[in-house]
């Protein structure tokens, strides 16, 4: 048995599953109050405070007082604790904290860690679905069971996919959001290959990957993932944007795409939906949302079927 404190999560959470127990710390209310009264909250986000710039002045620094710049990272006090009743692995508990963030659409971190980007203080801001608290506990159990049978490489790929989605959701740059989402997609593609998804075996061009992943998960292929031919070369909107950023440094210059920067933003949303559903498929979720045709512009509830609720033995404490 081993426990790990984590945060930030603004609600009470007291659940037990087959091998996990998640509880709220006694100081949770004080932590929440301190964040909301910090003066750094704007809407549903915590924006980084400013500090005086440090270091040696440059040769062209004429001001006596250094400018104010955002702090490099922000650490928060923990609000909850997760306990594994059958394992003593700290890496396993950290993985489950990242899964908690993926399912809630927030940025909880293990105790002592810090955020390097602004972060949401309300749930569902980083996710393409809504996961209520009972379903959250059950899906955490699925992530834990997936972890127990996954290889070391597969665990790293899954953690990378969840963390890249987090980065994509917290950055305010469209191009960076897309490339982080695409990196999460690459991790999911590698996991699909490891899981034996037939269409992903062997070398697969970037233009084919999104549609192949959709077919493997069992979801409709969005317009931006569909292949078309540019001369003799297969392309897709996802591949065009990815190649433009990765190989041509086309940051913010997507006027050649129909829709311009707005097309990149919509592509990021579509791709995030594919990645999220793929992750849930990989861990064994039987939620109807996984194979739903609902687009990522709409958020659908991640309702766990009754048989999985019984299997994971979710209990509210």
């Amino acid at each position: 048995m081993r426990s790990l404190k984590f945060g930030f999560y603004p609600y009470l959470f007291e659940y037990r599953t087959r091998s996990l127990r998640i509880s709220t710390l006694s100081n949770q209310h004080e932590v929440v109050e301190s964040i909301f009264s910090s003066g750094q909250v704007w809407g549903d986000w915590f924006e980084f405070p400013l500090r005086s710039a440090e270091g040696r002045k440059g040769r062209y620094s004429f001001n006596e007082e250094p400018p104010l710049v955002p702090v490099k990272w922000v650490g928060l006090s923990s609000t909850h604790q997760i306990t594994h009743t059958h394992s003593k692995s700290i890496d396993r508990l950290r993985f489950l904290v990242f899964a908690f963030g993926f399912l809630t659409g927030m940025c909880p971190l293990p105790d002592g860690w810090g955020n390097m980007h602004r972060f949401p203080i309300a749930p569902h801001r980083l996710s393409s679905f809504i996961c209520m608290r009972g379903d959250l506990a059950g899906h955490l159990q699925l992530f834990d069971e997936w972890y127990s049978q996954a290889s070391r490489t597969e665990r790293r790929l899954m953690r990378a996919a969840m963390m890249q989605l987090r980065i994509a959701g917290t950055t305010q740059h469209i191009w960076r959001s897309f490339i982080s989402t695409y990196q999460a997609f690459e991790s999911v593609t590698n996991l699909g290959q490891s899981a034996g998804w037939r269409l992903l075996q062997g070398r697969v061009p970037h233009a084919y990957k999104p549609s192949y992943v959709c077919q493997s998960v069992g979801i409709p292929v969005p317009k931006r993932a569909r292949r078309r031919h540019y001369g003799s070369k297969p392309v897709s909107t996802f591949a065009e944007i990815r190649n433009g950023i990765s190989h041509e440094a086309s940051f913010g210059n997507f006027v050649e795409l129909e829709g311009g920067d707005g097309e990149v933003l919509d592509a990021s949303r579509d791709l995030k939906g594919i990645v999220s559903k793929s992750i849930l498929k990989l861990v064994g979720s039987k939620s109807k949302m996984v194979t739903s045709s609902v687009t990522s512009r709409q958020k659908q509830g991640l309702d766990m079927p009754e048989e999985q609720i019984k299997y994971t033995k979710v209990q509210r404490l």
Side-chain angles (χ1 to χ4, degrees):
M1 178 183 294
R2 188 161 187 174
S3 299
L4 176 67
K5 294 179 181 179
F6 69 94
F8 161 79
Y9 185 65
Y11 302 117
L12 300 177
F13 195 88
E14 304 282 343
Y15 281 90
R16 174 183 292 165
T17 67
R18 293 172 69 95
S19 60
L20 305 173
R21 176 171 178 154
I22 306 99
S23 56
T24 307
L25 298 178
S26 59
N27 68 332
Q28 188 255 5
H29 178 73
E30 288 78 11
V31 174
V32 173
E33 285 295 321
S34 68
I35 290 175
F36 279 89
S37 62
S38 65
Q40 298 304 131
V41 173
W42 183 252
D44 292 329
W45 294 84
F46 184 94
E47 303 289 347
F48 275 22
L50 300 177
R51 63 169 175 81
S52 177
E54 300 174 352
R56 185 185 303 174
K57 287 185 177 182
R59 74 171 61 175
Y60 300 113
S61 298
F62 300 109
N63 297 327
E64 291 295 326
E65 295 296 327
L68 297 177
V69 296
V71 298
K72 294 181 179 180
W73 70 283
V74 171
L76 299 177
S77 299
S78 295
T79 54
H80 293 76
Q81 177 171 280
I82 183 169
T83 300
H84 202 294
T85 57
H86 306 320
S87 174
K88 295 182 179 180
S89 170
I90 189 67
D91 287 337
R92 188 169 190 162
L93 290 173
R94 288 169 178 164
F95 175 85
L96 292 171
V97 170
F98 299 144
F100 190 98
F102 167 73
L103 293 166
T104 59
M106 295 188 69
C107 296
L109 289 171
D111 191 47
W113 292 36
N115 287 283
M116 295 190 296
H117 301 270
R118 67 179 191 140
F119 53 87
I121 58 171
H124 317 311
R125 295 301 178 269
L126 304 181
S127 57
S128 56
F129 54 85
I130 295 175
C131 186
M132 305 306 290
R133 279 169 250 184
D135 294 329
L136 169 55
H139 277 87
L140 274 179
Q141 179 65 35
L142 295 182
F143 272 94
D144 180 60
E145 295 184 5
W146 178 89
Y147 185 96
S148 67
Q149 55 82 35
S151 68
R152 188 176 182 181
T153 298
E154 289 170 337
R155 294 168 184 171
R156 288 178 173 177
L157 287 169
M158 182 65 81
R159 183 172 60 184
M162 293 188 291
M163 293 303 290
Q164 288 294 347
L165 282 184
R166 177 179 297 194
I167 293 172
T170 55
T171 183
Q172 295 175 289
H173 300 282
I174 294 176
W175 60 267
R176 188 175 183 186
S177 177
F178 179 87
I179 206 64
S180 293
T181 307
Y182 201 93
Q183 288 172 336
F185 172 74
E186 289 280 31
S187 295
V188 162
T189 301
N190 291 333
L191 284 168
Q193 290 175 335
S194 180
W197 292 357
R198 182 180 57 83
L199 293 173
L200 296 177
Q201 301 309 305
R203 185 174 181 180
V204 182
H206 285 285
Y208 288 74
K209 286 181 180 179
S211 60
Y212 282 1
V213 169
C214 289
Q215 292 175 61
S216 299
V217 176
I219 59 178
V221 181
K223 175 184 176 182
R224 297 174 183 86
R226 294 172 191 163
R227 301 186 306 277
R228 60 186 187 278
H229 278 80
Y230 184 75
S232 60
K233 182 180 179 181
V235 296
S236 70
T237 300
F238 288 150
E240 278 187 299
I241 299 173
R242 179 257 178 197
N243 293 338
I245 295 174
S246 299
H247 302 304
E248 301 171 11
S250 299
F251 304 135
N253 182 25
F254 297 103
V255 293
E256 71 278 7
L257 290 174
E258 184 179 353
D261 285 352
E263 179 72 358
V264 181
L265 184 60
D266 288 341
S268 294
R269 290 184 179 132
D270 285 351
L271 195 57
K272 181 172 72 172
I274 294 173
V275 173
S276 298
K277 292 182 178 183
S278 299
I279 289 174
L280 293 167
K281 174 82 170 182
L282 285 162
V283 301
S285 174
K286 295 182 180 178
S287 167
K288 292 182 180 178
M289 191 283 297
V290 176
T291 56
S292 169
S293 61
V294 175
T295 68
S296 57
R297 275 186 175 277
Q298 301 165 295
K299 293 189 178 181
Q300 189 175 358
L302 187 58
D303 297 322
M304 177 171 274
E306 187 65 29
E307 65 268 20
Q308 282 201 312
I309 293 177
K310 292 179 179 178
Y311 170 76
T312 56
K313 296 184 178 180
V314 175
Q315 294 180 1
R316 186 172 183 176
L317 303 178

